[in-house]
């Protein structure tokens, strides 16, 4: 079977950011490429679920945004998560609008992402109305640790719900 790129995908994808935005795109630009991951899900009852997975990041919208696809477990096994994030830099807030959607699980989240020291921290709210904090930590050129946390209100402590240990497979 021969796969052709549709006009839609050609219009969506981009080779990189425009020159006037390249510096602003650095916060997430290092993610461009393909990655594999080991995932841990911490359930409320204290049990732990583990999977492998994959994620792929690319330039979109003439390089003005970065989009990814997160898949768990790795293909070709049937998915338990198959979602996408759109990351768009906004110079007006000196931060990134983050829009996550996983239609398989009817899950979505809106966040604002910024650098915090050597980490990237995204804060927002999910489909259930919970506060979310997603962090990229231990960042190197070929790996990172992603930590997903949630809480009901500002006075509640953050609870870790997911961790992804991620390794680059292709630039």
């Amino acid at each position: 079977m021969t796969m052709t790129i549709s006009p839609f995908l050609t219009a969506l994808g981009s080779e990189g950011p425009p020159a006037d935005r390249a510096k602003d795109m650095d916060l997430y630009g290092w993610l461009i490429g393909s990655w594999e991951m080991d995932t841990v899900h911490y359930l409320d009852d204290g049990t732990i679920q583990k999977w492998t997975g994959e994620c792929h990041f690319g330039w979109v919208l003439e390089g003005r945004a970065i989009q990814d696809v997160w898949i768990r477990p790795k293909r070709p096994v049937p998915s338990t998560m198959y979602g996408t994030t759109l990351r768009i830099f906004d110079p007006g807030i000196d931060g990134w609008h983050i829009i996550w959607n996983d239609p398989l699980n009817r899950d979505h989240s809106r966040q604002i992402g910024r650098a915090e020291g050597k980490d990237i921290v995204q804060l927002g709210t999910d489909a259930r109305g919970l506060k979310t904090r997603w962090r990229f930590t231990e960042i190197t050129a070929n790996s990172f640790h992603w930590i997903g946390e949630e809480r009901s209100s500002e006075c509640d402590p953050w609870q870790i719900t997911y961790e992804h240990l991620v390794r680059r497979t292709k630039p």
Side-chain angles (χ1 to χ4, degrees), residues 25 73 84 107 111 116 125 131 134 152:
M25 306 305 274
T84 188
D107 185 22
Q111 300 173 321
E116 256 185 45
T125 307
K131 306 288 183 198
W134 296 352
S152 297

Side-chain angles (χ1 to χ4, degrees), residues 32-53:
I32 301 302
S34 294
W35 305 76
E36 64 183 5
M37 63 185 168
D38 295 315
T39 298
V40 179
H41 182 198
Y42 302 96
L43 298 166
D44 290 338
D45 65 6
T47 59
I48 295 174
Q49 297 174 324
K50 294 183 178 185
W51 299 279
T52 61

